[in-house]
Each structure stands twice: as C-alpha cells, then as structure tokens.
C-alpha cells in the first residue's frame, strides 16, 4: 500500500519512480543519465531551450524534492535542506552511495568511505554547500588543454556569473570589515543561488584575525578569482535552505525546492539505474535500465553520472581500454585507453582546535546534546521555511550555514629547502610558482557530534572547531576501473593518495602552518590546544575526566599556552607517519576520469563539447571531464561544464 501511494504521489508530481510505469514514452530527443549537480542543470537548460524537444532524465536514487505523503517532521527530504542537518544528511544511505575506495598503499592500506550523492540533485544534496569558484588561472589552463575559451578565466568566469545569483546582503554589520564582495565578480539573476551567512558561527572572525596575524592576506571577496587570502565563505544557501540543482531546476507542483518549476517537456524518472548505453554501430541510440527496458534517444545520450559512475558506464557499454574490456567479456565498441584514468582529487586533513572551556562557546557539538532544543529548532526552521514560501530561520541555519576559508601558499624560499621540490619537472615548478595559485585550503567550521556517538557517562564533551586542510594541487593520479561486468557491482576506486612524494611534503607543511596560525595571539586567546585524532575517527571528547583536563592545561603551559595531542610537531617524519596512519583522508572532490582534451591530445576521452571520442551521439557532462586539479569546490565546475555542453548540444541541432 505504501509503495502504491508513493508511485501515485510521484506520478502526480510529474516524477515517475521505478522502471515499469507504462505512461512513460519509449523515445525522447535527449536522454540524460544522472540527475546530479551537472545533470539536473543540464536537463533544465535543454528543456527550457526548446519546448518541442523532449528530455528524459534518469536517476538511480530517490526523489529528494517530494513533500507529500508523510508527516512534515518525518520527511527526510525536508530536513536534507536544513544547513545545520548536514552531518545526519550525509550519513543516509538513501541519498549517499557511501562508496569504499581501494586500500591505499601509501596510507598503510587504509580503506576509506567516499561520499557521493544519490537522488535528484546528486552530491549537491549532501555537500557542505560552500560556493568556491576558485582561481581564474585554473580555468585558463583548462581552456588551453581543451582548446576552448568557453572554459577560460574570462569567458568561463562570465558563464558562472550568468548562472549564479549572489546575495551579498544579510551579513551582520559587525562582520562588514571581513567581507566586501566586488559585485562585478558575481551574477545576480541566475538560477543557482549563493549568499553570505546571516548568522555566522562562533570563532569565525577570530579565525580570520589569527590568519591575518600569521601573515595571510585578508580577502574581502573569496570569489574574486584570486584565491590567496582568508575570508568568509559564500554558501549555496537560499531562503535559509540548501541549494542544489534539484531545488533550483527540477521542482514540480508542491515540491520542497524554492527554485524554478521544471518544464513539461522534461520527464524525470527516479529509482531507475542505467546498465548500459545501446549502440547501433558506433552511434549511441538509447539506454537499457535494470529490468531490461530500453529508452531510445532520437538525438543524443548524455552521461552525467559523476566522476565515478560516468567512466563505469562507459566501460560497461564497451568504451574503454580494449584489453581490459575483453578480459571481462564486454563487447568493445571503441578502444578508448584513458576512460577511468587520470583521476584527480584533493586530499583532506582533519584537525580539531579546542576552545577554552571557560568561554562556554555554543558550538554545534553542544547544540546536538539537547534533543528537545534540537527538535524545537527543527520545528522553527520548517515553519519559517514553509516549503520555500518563506525563509528558514534559527540555529539550524547557523551550524552548517557559515564558515571561513584561508587559501595559503608557501614561498619559493621555503620550497627550496624541500628535497621533493628538486625532483619536480620544470613545468611542475612553474605551475606551483604561480603567485596566485594556492597550495592548501584551510576550511574553518565547527565540530559536530556524529550520528550514534554516545558521550561517556559522567563526562562533559568539549567545545571545538574543525579544520579541513584540503591539498589543492595534488600530483598523485588515481583511476576508476571495473571489478566485473556486473552493473550492480561497485567499481574499483583508487585515488592513490600520497603516491607522489611532493603531495606528502605539502601535507606535512600544511599541518605545521595550521598549528602556527592557531598559536597566534588572536586565536590562542580562544583556543587552548589542538587534537590530532585523524580523518577516520570520531571527533575528540577530551574532557573525559578532571585529570585529563589538568594534564592538557599543564602541557599548554609548557608549550606557550597551546598544547597538541597525538602528534610531535617538531619532527617532520612523525607528522608524515601520523598522516599515513590516520591523518590524511579523502577529498570528495574527484574529477578527470573522462578527461577533456583538444584534437591530438593522447589523454582525452571527450572533446570540449563533451562528445565521446570514437563514437557518435554520446556525451559526458560532469566533473569527470575536467582535465586539471581545480582550486575550488567542484559544484561550481559541474555547473560550468553543464552550461558549456548544453550550448554545444543546442548548436549541433
């Protein structure tokens, strides 16, 4: 009965579920595989360009926009939009593939979980919402590799401005000296909204002050196109709620998103997994989904399944390295040796600065300790949001809704001291010496209590911040490959973190730089120390007993008032050992596995229009096509890819 009701609700909303509903057509002008960040926006672009052209959007995961059929306070779709609910949101297998990556040889064979969004909106429904455009020079490099100025730091940047709508208002006046965005760098009438925080988290201004004291320049606009500096992050938040490609582009009547309604010529089918692309000769003519049903494309098939599943689907469809496909008895349609190769990613180091207890800082960690208060704040947010008619208010917009970012760069003199620097090629050195290209992003936000974490009886958890140190220009290269010809089996995901020695050096130096920042006068006035528990363990709860707390205070006195637990910062070898054992983690910013390139590029899989080289009628449009490691957060790049490729498709009509 519940399933019947769900199907009925989905049909009424214009979004169908399951592979066997007879009312859906069998053929469409365009078929898009994947309703993620790029796929959802691409579907919007194609369906609004020509109402006479039919578009079918196929998505493996659920309808994340539905508001009907359940009690509001029990609707996971509603609370996936709450900025402060991001930790619980990302833990849901319903909307997260929760992939596991291959044992990492350079990280003591650790196996890590890799988050990827599942359902309408894809990873834009579970990410941290930071809207970070990045460095214009990266876009120029991308344009050079693709031989297409539409991705450049001029034309590409203008496209991003056109697709975004930035709200510079709302930041409290007391923070005005930290953010004065140059509106010439931003759009204000596009589909994808972003904004400055209206309710900044504790310690945000202090973090910026500490970075400035440590010599990092202040950035009044973190999205100016030159990354180096520290400032307030702009967030993909609109009306106090998460912004995703789904909330902004794919709404049907009664849905939860505050963005645009989908067009009537756009047909969306959720909970439908594509097993392979169908070819007639070298031309893609449709797709086969689980259950055997085939949908035909009169014009083109576009794969927008993300940097993991797009190469997986190409391989399952017979496009990839000939020898690898033949071993798995997959019929070779096109020998494309670089499908799944060239995986690029940021890697992440998690650090936990500890607030001085006597400050009684109201962090999200303590917030989640009071279930009744949390429930009240959820009611407040839901009531004020009113399914997008109003604006979500309260503490649920504070925790998860704001952060600060510092992009740091090491000096040429520092690099000359590193043996790993000497081993780099001339081209690599020139790239790293670009004065505007950062080495590491330090992302400041607040600690949180993970779902299911129980605080020991008789103890009081500490208040703490959390730092993500994202290594921006890793030289390590990974891959995506098939384990078998079974479409249901997860592919082999191997980022090969730390496989290049220079990445190790940058990570070691980033840890030391972060601690140096927190030893400044501004930050040491608020923080007593830093815990090094690693990327795969629970956040620290150091105040388990008075004796431990006293030891930390004594340790702080011996180290200038700031202690560190879990690492010896005086020995680079010890820092490296900690990073390999538990400190370094996955970046969740994968790209490059269906690399874009110009004619003659031996590494390319697609051209600048996303066309898969060697076949016809098939494109890839998502972050898998990006050929360089971008110094940004990849949702921005995903929208740009979709926008450029949409125009390429429309020009080819």
């Amino acid at each position: 009965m519940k399933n019947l009701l769900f199907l009925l609700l989905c049909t009424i909303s214009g979004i169908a579920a399951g592979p066997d509903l007879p009312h859906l057509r069998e053929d469409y002008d365009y078929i898009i595989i994947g309703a993620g960040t790029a796929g959802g926006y691409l579907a919007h672009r194609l369906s609004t360009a020509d109402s006479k052209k039919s578009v079918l959007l196929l998505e493996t995961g659920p309808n994340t926009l539905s508001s009907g059929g359940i009690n509001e306070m029990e609707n996971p779709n509603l609370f996936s939009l709450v900025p402060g609910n991001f930790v619980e949101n990302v833990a849901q297998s319903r909307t997260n593939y929760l992939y596991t990556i291959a044992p990492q040889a350079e990280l003591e064979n650790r196996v890590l979980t890799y988050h990827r969004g599942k359902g309408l909106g894809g990873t834009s429904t579970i990410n941290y919402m930071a809207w970070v455009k990045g460095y214009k020079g990266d876009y120029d490099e991308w344009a050079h590799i693709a031989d297409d100025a539409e991705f450049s730091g001029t034309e590409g940047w203008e496209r991003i401005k056109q697709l975004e709508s930035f709200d510079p208002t709302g930041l409290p006046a007391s923070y005005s000296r930290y953010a004065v965005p140059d509106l010439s760098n931003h759009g204000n009438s596009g589909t994808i909204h972003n904004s400055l925080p209206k309710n900044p988290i504790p310690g945000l201004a202090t973090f910026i002050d500490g970075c400035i004291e440590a010599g990092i320049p202040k950035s009044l606009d973190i999205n100016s196109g030159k990354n180096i500096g520290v400032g307030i992050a702009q967030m993909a938040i609109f009306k106090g709620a998460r912004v995703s490609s789904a909330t902004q582009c794919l709404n049907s009547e009664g849905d939860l998103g505050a963005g645009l309604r989908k067009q009537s010529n756009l047909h969306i089918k959720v909970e439908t997994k594509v097993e392979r692309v169908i070819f007639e000769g070298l031309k893609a003519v449709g797709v086969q989904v689980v259950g055997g049903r085939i949908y035909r494309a009169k014009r083109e098939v576009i794969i927008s399944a993300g940097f993991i599943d797009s190469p997986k689907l190409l391989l399952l469809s017979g496009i990839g390295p000939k020898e690898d496909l033949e071993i798995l008895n997959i019929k070779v349609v096109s020998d494309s040796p670089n499908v799944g190769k060239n995986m690029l990613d940021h890697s992440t180091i998690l650090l936990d600065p500890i607030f001085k207890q006597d400050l009684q800082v109201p962090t999200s960690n303590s917030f989640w300790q009071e279930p009744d208060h949390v429930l009240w704040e959820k009611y407040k947010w839901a009531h004020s949001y009113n399914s997008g008619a109003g604006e979500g208010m309260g503490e649920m917009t504070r925790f998860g809704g704001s952060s600060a970012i510092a992009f740091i760069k090491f000096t040429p003199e520092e690099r000359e001291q590193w043996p790993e620097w000497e081993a780099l090629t001339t081209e690599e050195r020139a790239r790293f010496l670009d004065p505007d290209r950062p080495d590491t992003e330090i992302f400041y936000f607040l600690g949180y209590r993970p779902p299911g974490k129980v605080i020991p009886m008789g103890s009081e958890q500490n208040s703490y911040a959390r730092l993500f140190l994202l290594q921006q220009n890793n030289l390590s290269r990974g891959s995506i490959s098939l384990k078998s010809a079974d479409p249901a089996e997860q592919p082999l995901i191997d980022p090969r973190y730390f496989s290049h020695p220079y990445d190790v050096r940058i990570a070691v130096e980033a840890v030391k730089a972060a601690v140096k920042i927190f030893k400044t006068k501004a930050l040491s006035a608020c923080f007593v120390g830093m815990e090094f528990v690693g990327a795969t363990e629970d956040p620290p709860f150091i105040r388990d007993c008075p004796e431990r707390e006293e030891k930390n205070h004594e340790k702080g006195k011996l180290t200038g008032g700031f202690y560190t637990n879990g690492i010896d910062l005086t020995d680079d070898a010890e820092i490296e050992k900690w990073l390999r054992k538990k400190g370094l983690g996955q970046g969740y910013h994968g790209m490059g596995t269906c690399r874009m390139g110009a004619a003659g590029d031996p590494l390319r899989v697609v051209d600048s229009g996303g066309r898969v080289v060697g076949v016809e009628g098939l494109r890839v449009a998502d972050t898998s096509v990006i050929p360089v490691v971008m110094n940004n957060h990849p949702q921005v790049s995903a929208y740009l890819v979709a926008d450029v490729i949409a125009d390429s498709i429309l020009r080819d009509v």
Side-chain angles (χ1 to χ4, degrees):
M1 185 65 184
K2 287 183 178 179
N3 289 337
L4 181 61
L5 177 61
F6 175 71
L7 292 175
L8 179 60
L9 287 167
C10 287
T11 303
I12 291 172
S13 72
I15 298 177
D20 300 317
L21 293 183
H23 74 278
L24 281 181
R25 297 164 48 172
E26 295 287 346
D27 63 302
Y28 298 82
D29 288 295
Y30 301 107
I31 296 176
I32 301 172
I33 304 165
T37 311
Y41 185 74
L42 177 64
H44 162 72
R45 283 289 323 275
L46 294 181
S47 61
T48 55
D50 186 346
S51 62
K52 295 180 181 179
K53 298 291 190 301
S54 57
V55 180
L56 176 62
L57 179 60
L58 299 172
E59 169 55 42
T60 302
N63 178 0
T64 58
L65 294 172
S66 174
S67 61
I70 1 179
N71 179 288
E72 183 180 66
M73 297 305 295
E74 296 176 357
N75 186 351
N77 292 334
L78 178 63
F79 289 104
S80 71
L81 303 181
V82 182
N85 213 43
F86 78 98
V87 178
E88 288 192 353
N89 186 38
V90 81
Q92 304 300 317
S93 60
R94 172 180 171 270
T95 51
N96 189 343
Y97 283 103
L98 295 171
Y99 285 128
T100 54
I101 67 174
Q104 294 300 282
E106 300 298 328
L107 304 182
E108 299 191 0
N109 286 317
R110 283 192 282 133
V111 175
L112 304 171
T113 300
Y114 208 106
H115 299 310
R116 290 287 89 191
K118 180 171 61 172
L120 298 185
T123 302
S124 62
T125 65
I126 66 169
N127 65 11
Y128 192 71
M129 299 162 283
W131 184 259
V132 184
K133 297 180 188 179
Y135 171 44
K136 285 185 178 182
D138 291 339
Y139 292 93
D140 288 334
E141 185 177 358
W142 180 354
H144 175 73
I145 292 171
D147 192 23
D148 191 337
E150 290 184 300
F151 296 101
S152 71
T154 50
E155 291 185 32
W157 198 261
E158 286 301 311
R159 278 184 174 272
I160 295 169
K161 286 169 57 178
Q162 291 169 16
L163 66 85
E164 74 170 343
S165 186
F166 172 58
D167 179 8
T169 66
L171 186 70
S174 59
Y175 289 83
S176 61
R177 64 190 179 98
Y178 298 107
V180 185
D182 179 354
L183 296 185
S184 68
N185 284 317
H186 303 269
N188 59 13
S189 59
T191 307
I192 310 301
H193 288 257
N194 65 94
S195 59
L196 286 168
K198 296 184 178 181
N199 193 3
I201 54 174
L204 185 145
T206 306
F207 173 75
I208 295 175
D209 288 339
C211 287
I212 295 169
E213 187 182 335
I216 300 168
K218 181 193 293 186
S219 175
L220 295 174
D221 186 354
I222 208 71
N223 279 326
S224 68
K226 291 187 176 181
N227 289 41
I228 307 297
V230 59
I232 297 176
Q234 295 157 23
M235 307 294 287
I237 292 175
F238 178 50
K239 292 189 173 184
R242 169 188 293 277
V243 164
S244 71
S245 65
T247 64
Q248 302 311 113
C249 303
L250 304 179
N251 293 283
S252 295
E253 184 176 357
D255 278 352
L256 295 167
L260 301 175
R261 293 272 186 91
K262 76 176 189 67
Q263 301 296 302
S264 60
N265 59 325
L266 172 57
H267 306 266
I268 302 175
K269 195 166 174 52
V270 295
E271 299 182 341
T272 303
K273 183 178 179 63
V274 175
E275 293 186 320
R276 64 188 180 100
V277 177
I278 304 297
F279 287 91
E280 291 180 358
L282 291 177
K283 181 174 176 58
V285 296
V287 300
Q288 178 178 308
V289 303
V290 171
R293 187 168 182 175
I294 292 175
Y295 297 97
R296 298 185 66 84
K298 292 183 285 186
R299 293 181 180 273
E300 294 194 54
V301 175
I302 306 104
I303 302 175
S304 294
F307 87 96
I308 293 174
D309 285 300
S310 286
K312 175 190 175 184
L313 188 55
L314 286 178
L315 294 167
L316 288 170
S317 304
I319 301 173
K322 181 174 183 288
E323 292 182 0
D324 293 351
L325 298 177
E326 288 177 340
I327 289 172
L328 297 175
N329 294 316
I330 295 174
K331 179 183 176 182
V332 178
V333 174
S334 177
D335 181 11
S336 185
N338 289 296
V339 172
K341 305 297 194 293
N342 195 53
M343 176 181 166
L344 316 171
D345 198 7
H346 301 150
S347 51
T348 304
I349 304 163
L350 269 63
L351 304 179
D352 298 290
I354 310 302
F355 282 105
K356 291 183 176 179
Q357 297 297 322
D358 55 1
L359 296 179
Q360 297 294 302
V361 176
T363 66
S364 51
N365 206 11
S366 55
F367 170 75
W368 285 98
Q369 277 296 95
E370 304 176 37
D372 290 342
H373 183 56
V374 170
L375 185 60
W376 163 247
E377 288 291 340
K378 285 186 175 183
Y379 271 114
K380 182 193 297 184
W381 184 92
H383 178 73
S384 56
Y385 181 65
N386 192 21
S387 295
E391 179 168 349
M393 305 292 285
E395 291 293 278
M396 297 300 285
T397 65
R398 184 186 202 188
F399 300 124
S402 69
S403 60
I405 293 178
F407 282 99
I408 66 173
K409 186 172 188 68
F410 301 109
T411 66
E413 292 75 20
E414 288 173 308
R415 295 174 202 274
E416 292 294 340
Q417 306 303 313
W418 307 337
E420 298 86 356
W421 178 252
E422 295 299 319
L424 296 181
T425 66
T426 301
E427 183 181 2
E428 288 168 340
R429 287 192 199 181
R431 191 172 192 273
F432 291 124
L433 288 174
D434 181 335
D436 295 317
R437 176 170 281 117
D439 290 306
T440 295
E441 173 190 340
I442 303 178
F443 192 85
Y444 171 91
F445 66 118
L446 291 187
Y448 49 81
R449 182 171 64 88
K453 176 67 179 181
V454 178
I455 307 303
M457 289 293 293
S459 68
E460 180 183 345
Q461 64 186 45
N462 57 284
S463 292
Y464 64 101
R466 173 147 276 197
L467 303 180
F468 280 173
L469 278 55
L470 288 96
Q471 313 315 303
Q472 292 294 291
N473 296 285
N474 283 338
L475 293 174
S476 300
R477 296 292 181 264
S479 64
I480 307 292
S481 57
L482 296 180
K483 296 177 183 177
S484 73
D486 182 0
E489 186 169 10
Q490 176 194 303
L492 183 67
I493 305 163
D494 188 5
R496 300 184 68 235
Y497 296 126
F498 266 12
S499 58
H500 195 289
Y502 190 72
D503 296 349
V504 181
R505 169 54 57 189
I506 290 292
V508 169
E509 298 301 323
V511 169
K512 293 191 292 186
V515 174
K516 177 184 175 183
I517 290 168
F518 274 81
K519 286 187 174 182
T520 58
K521 183 178 179 180
L523 283 164
S524 61
C526 296
F527 292 88
V528 68
M530 187 176 290
E531 292 282 329
F532 289 76
V533 296
T536 58
E537 298 183 20
D538 284 340
F541 298 95
I542 63 168
R543 200 173 180 184
D544 289 343
C545 63
E547 292 80 9
R548 174 74 182 275
E549 187 178 11
E550 183 60 30
K551 286 180 181 179
N552 287 331
H553 281 295
E554 290 300 317
K555 189 173 183 180
K557 291 177 183 178
L558 296 174
T559 55
F562 189 89
Y563 74 83
T564 56
N565 273 336
I567 193 169
D568 180 2
L569 289 168
T570 64
D571 187 341
D572 285 2
E574 286 298 309
I575 298 174
E576 180 181 334
K577 181 179 178 181
W578 174 79
L579 287 165
R580 292 183 185 278
K581 185 176 181 179
K582 58 182 181 179
L584 193 84
Q586 58 281 59
Y588 307 122
H589 289 175
M591 58 197 102
T593 51
C594 298
R595 177 184 161 108
M596 180 182 287
D601 182 348
L603 298 178
R604 79 169 180 167
V605 175
V606 303
D607 68 9
S608 65
R611 303 174 192 86
V612 177
V613 176
V615 297
E616 300 174 5
L618 181 64
R619 303 193 195 223
V620 178
D622 54 41
T623 60
S624 69
V625 307
I626 300 172
V628 296
V629 184
M630 301 294 288
N631 288 275
N632 71 354
H633 287 219
Q635 65 171 326
V636 179
S637 302
Y639 287 118
L640 174 61
V641 166
D643 199 59
V644 172
I645 291 178
D647 279 344
S648 176
I649 293 169
L650 295 170
R651 284 195 298 266
D652 287 352
V653 171

